[in-house]
Amino acid sequence: MSAAKATNLRRSRPDSSCSMRFCAVVNLRVAFCPTWHIGLALWICLLITFHGASSFALDRDRSIAQFHYTFWSEMDGAPSEISALAQTEDGYLWIGSEHGLFRFDGVKFEEYKPQAGVELPSYGIYSLMPTPDGGLWIAFAPRGLGLLRDGSLRVFTRPEELPKSQIHSFARDHDGRIWAGTENGLVLRKGTRWVRIGRDWNLAPDVIRDLFVDREGTLWVATVKIVAFLKRDSKTFEFAGAVGRGITTLAQAKDGRVWFADDGRGEVRPVPTMDRNAKAGYPAVLEDGLREMLFDREGALWITRLDSGIVRIRYPENLGNRKLGDQDRELDTFSEKNGFSGGYAYKLLEDREGDIWIGCSKGLVRFRRNQVVPVSLPRRYQRLTLLPGEDGEIWVGTLNDKPLLHIRGDRILVERAGEQASSVFRDSNGVVWWGCDPGVWRKRGAEFKFFPEPKATNPPNFIYEIFPSRDEGGLWLRVGDFGTVHFKQGVWDLSGRLKRMPFEGPSASYRDASGRVWLGFIGNRVYVLDGDQITAYSQSDGLDVGRVKVIRGLGQHIWADVVQQGTLPESDSRGRRAVRRDLWNH
């Protein structure tokens, strides 16, 4: 948002810096830990990094349920029976309803009251349209026209300032001209007057259902009988193919085709034209209750449903010549059973940040990008070990007797390796080592190879930690209660032990960007391996964190996820509490 007074509509961004040596923070295992254990839950949350220029757009590879959903009801100050939505240049969201005009800054709803001496023609609103100079055109219901600019409302009352019948919709073309759809036809604003567009423009007067200007500057007009379009610099309307009589909205897809929504027939499909898509009966979405539509900036198609929330099609350009119904998997539905609380869904708006707003019978709904994305896993995937892959991919292992999962967008691929995974490490060559029971899986490219534990370790044992040794290609493995042993190129060296460190081995490990290895132990101890040098930290050095479960780095900070002993607030039945600490600022 550009205006300071509307900054509450912006996303808040937490400060990533921390000057304190010890600092409680959010659950950093979510953000930095490849071994995140979850009990009795089939959901994981994946931290997704923003990619590309459209930082705040809603990714097409996510389902609606993976976006952040917010609902404001009348209890929150939002109006009900919302009939129009618009965002003005100062960033405010304006909401038209049966109960008046409201302004929203992201936190507070404010009913608009005009300046002294001016009265609203009506509390009902048909349509809203913002202008680049910060103005807002308002079509009142059942009748009335206003222009709000610089905090002052001008209400047009003189006959020469108004079209012959009530305005239902607006459009502003690429040349800055203001068009309006009325009950008796199309009008164009010239100076302070509205000029009727008739047969001299090749357009017969009729009830206008919607107006739309596409990316090429073509004006599209939907009446109760036809869809007509006026190319830029032309004064002659052309006609599209046959459509229904209940068109509510027109919108342009990413491939350039203009679509329409018809709430009479319950269909959404491309407008048939002579130059392209002349036989545009396909693709089509056919379902009772479909009302209005919108293509977001990423190209996904959103459709409101009077009876059950919202429908979204992620890749409408891939539908081919198909007719889709409510049973087709391409229709991503978010209804009352998914948590949609808005009642009947009417109006759609995408704001400048890429959020989707829905005006509803019971209030206002917003979907926005969520950095933490829920992913539903198959049954018995609990106590997880996570590893980030490329382009937002995630690998998932479980302590249970289930193989690794590979998550790509909304696809979950089941591998044939990695059962009972408890640790993971990616070396400098990109080779991934999964510690399992009873042994180690190596993943090199797409190939998996298993190295079983030696019998001398008394398998089965979980491989609790994997971290690099000093020699090239060597690893240290903490093997159950047997301790930490050396492993290299498939060879287990049970006599090779970590020197000057506790025998049982670490409970957490991390290699930082400089190559140092941080090891956390039970009993309030941390060791740092830097080449030949080993540095130990304990309570005498100011370390007071209890059992270290996870160590990770972020910038110049080293963070630990620990379990403190004793009776503490928020403690569980075993008297323990997980605490996240900033160990060092180095």
Side-chain angles (χ1 to χ4, degrees):
M1 298 296 165
S2 58
K5 60 186 175 182
T7 53
N8 285 322
L9 273 176
R10 301 179 187 173
R11 275 175 197 81
S12 59
R13 294 177 176 84
D15 186 359
S16 60
S17 62
C18 180
S19 59
M20 299 177 64
R21 185 175 182 186
F22 297 106
C23 178
V25 296
V26 297
N27 189 337
L28 291 176
R29 281 183 292 180
V30 174
F32 311 116
C33 176
T35 54
W36 174 25
H37 301 298
I38 298 179
L40 303 178
L42 298 183
W43 291 82
I44 63 173
C45 289
L46 311 179
L47 189 76
I48 306 298
T49 303
F50 287 136
H51 293 285
S54 55
S55 299
F56 302 123
L58 302 184
D59 293 343
R60 292 210 279 178
D61 62 349
R62 301 190 191 180
S63 67
I64 300 179
Q66 292 177 325
F67 299 135
H68 188 278
Y69 166 82
T70 308
F71 171 63
W72 292 270
S73 69
E74 289 182 297
M75 296 290 291
D76 305 302
S80 60
E81 298 299 334
I82 294 174
S83 55
L85 296 171
Q87 185 183 23
T88 46
E89 287 296 307
D90 56 11
Y92 282 111
L93 181 71
W94 290 84
I95 306 166
S97 74
E98 292 184 359
H99 311 291
L101 180 64
F102 292 76
R103 187 176 70 173
F104 185 48
D105 64 1
V107 175
K108 181 181 178 181
F109 293 89
E110 179 183 358
E111 184 177 1
Y112 175 74
K113 302 292 185 181
Q115 67 274 20
V118 177
E119 293 185 2
L120 299 180
S122 169
Y123 283 100
I125 306 293
Y126 273 134
S127 182
L128 300 172
M129 186 185 75
T131 58
D133 61 1
L136 180 69
W137 283 96
I138 308 166
F140 293 93
R143 186 169 178 81
L145 178 64
L147 176 60
L148 178 62
R149 183 185 288 130
D150 298 327
S152 178
L153 176 66
R154 178 184 178 185
V155 177
F156 299 92
T157 57
R158 297 197 305 270
E160 63 270 20
E161 296 177 322
L162 296 167
K164 298 300 181 182
S165 61
Q166 175 57 34
I167 292 175
H168 290 273
S169 56
F170 296 103
R172 183 181 182 276
D173 66 22
H174 289 7
D175 298 311
R177 296 181 297 181
I178 304 297
W179 303 80
T182 76
E183 294 178 1
N184 293 333
L186 182 67
V187 294
L188 171 64
R189 186 168 178 81
K190 288 189 175 182
T192 60
R193 305 175 67 90
W194 293 94
V195 177
R196 183 177 179 180
I197 302 300
R199 298 189 185 279
D200 54 334
W201 291 69
N202 195 34
L203 185 68
D206 209 336
V207 177
I208 305 297
R209 297 295 302 263
D210 192 40
L211 300 178
F212 174 72
V213 178
D214 68 19
R215 292 188 290 271
E216 292 73 35
T218 298
L219 172 68
W220 294 78
V221 180
T223 76
V224 294
K225 297 178 182 177
I226 62 167
V227 171
F229 56 95
L230 180 69
K231 294 180 179 178
R232 192 173 184 181
D233 299 325
S234 174
K235 289 189 176 182
T236 302
F237 276 90
E238 303 174 53
F239 300 100
V243 295
R245 298 174 61 88
I247 291 179
T248 59
T249 43
L250 298 162
Q252 189 173 25
K254 202 168 186 177
D255 62 5
R257 291 186 296 180
V258 173
W259 290 50
F260 70 87
D262 185 329
D263 65 354
R265 292 183 175 180
E267 68 173 341
V268 174
R269 62 180 174 92
V271 174
T273 59
M274 295 301 296
D275 56 343
R276 67 177 297 190
N277 206 38
K279 298 180 180 179
Y282 301 93
V285 183
L286 305 174
E287 189 175 347
D288 290 339
L290 300 182
R291 183 174 174 85
E292 298 200 0
M293 66 170 180
L294 174 147
F295 286 96
D296 66 27
R297 66 188 63 180
E298 292 295 300
L301 173 60
W302 297 73
I303 309 170
T304 57
R305 295 171 62 171
L306 285 178
D307 59 344
S308 53
I310 196 84
V311 175
R312 177 170 170 265
I313 300 176
R314 307 183 201 186
Y315 298 94
E317 68 273 21
N318 295 338
L319 296 180
N321 293 328
R322 297 176 55 200
K323 288 186 178 180
L324 301 182
D326 57 2
Q327 300 301 317
D328 288 285
R329 63 183 301 271
E330 287 85 356
L331 269 63
D332 181 15
T333 300
F334 194 86
S335 62
E336 186 175 4
K337 69 178 182 180
N338 305 112
F340 190 88
S341 306
Y344 298 145
Y346 298 144
K347 310 302 292 187
L348 285 164
L349 172 74
E350 182 181 29
D351 68 17
R352 291 197 291 273
E353 291 187 341
D355 295 345
I356 298 295
W357 299 82
I358 307 169
C360 305
S361 61
K362 295 182 180 180
L364 182 66
V365 166
R366 180 188 64 187
F367 289 98
R368 66 175 172 85
R369 183 185 176 93
N370 194 357
Q371 282 187 282
V372 180
V373 181
V375 178
S376 183
L377 299 181
R379 294 185 60 188
R380 299 190 66 239
Y381 275 85
Q382 301 149 346
R383 305 186 68 186
L384 305 178
T385 298
L386 306 182
L387 177 72
E390 298 179 354
D391 299 323
E393 299 176 358
I394 290 287
W395 290 83
V396 180
T398 174
L399 281 179
N400 290 332
D401 190 18
K402 292 286 186 179
L404 298 174
L405 300 178
H406 188 190
I407 300 177
R408 296 177 177 175
D410 61 346
R411 299 178 60 197
I412 300 180
L413 308 177
V414 181
E415 298 291 342
R416 297 183 177 180
E419 292 86 353
Q420 295 181 284
S422 54
S423 59
V424 65
F425 175 74
R426 181 189 287 114
D427 66 25
S428 57
N429 296 318
V431 178
V432 177
W433 300 87
W434 288 92
C436 302
D437 180 5
V440 178
W441 283 93
R442 181 189 68 193
K443 180 183 178 296
R444 180 183 291 161
E447 179 186 357
F448 283 90
K449 184 174 181 178
F450 183 64
F451 300 92
E453 293 178 30
K455 293 182 179 180
T457 62
N458 298 317
N461 292 292
F462 285 110
I463 309 296
Y464 288 122
E465 293 294 330
I466 305 177
F467 54 96
S469 65
R470 288 183 53 202
D471 54 329
E472 181 67 26
L475 300 172
W476 291 106
L477 312 180
R478 183 194 165 186
V479 182
D481 295 329
F482 188 80
T484 305
V485 301
H486 193 261
F487 178 87
K488 183 176 181 180
Q489 296 180 356
V491 177
W492 299 75
D493 182 3
L494 303 186
S495 62
R497 298 280 182 158
L498 281 171
K499 299 178 180 179
R500 293 186 288 161
M501 272 179 278
F503 173 84
E504 71 273 10
S507 56
S509 62
Y510 170 67
R511 181 180 62 179
D512 66 22
S514 65
R516 293 177 300 179
V517 177
W518 297 71
L519 302 177
F521 291 79
I522 62 174
N524 203 33
R525 291 169 294 178
V526 171
Y527 290 77
V528 181
L529 312 184
D530 188 2
D532 293 329
Q533 182 178 354
I534 300 177
T535 305
Y537 297 95
S538 63
Q539 192 167 10
S540 62
D541 302 294
L543 184 68
D544 185 16
V545 294
R547 176 189 175 191
V548 180
K549 296 185 65 179
V550 176
I551 298 180
R552 286 295 175 267
L554 177 65
Q556 294 183 341
H557 295 265
I558 296 296
W559 299 85
D561 186 1
V562 303
V563 174
Q564 292 184 336
Q565 302 292 335
T567 303
L568 297 170
E570 303 173 8
S571 62
D572 61 20
S573 59
R574 293 166 293 178
R576 304 193 306 173
R577 183 178 64 170
V579 180
R580 283 87 209 176
R581 293 292 175 88
D582 180 3
L583 294 181
W584 273 271
N585 184 356
H586 62 93

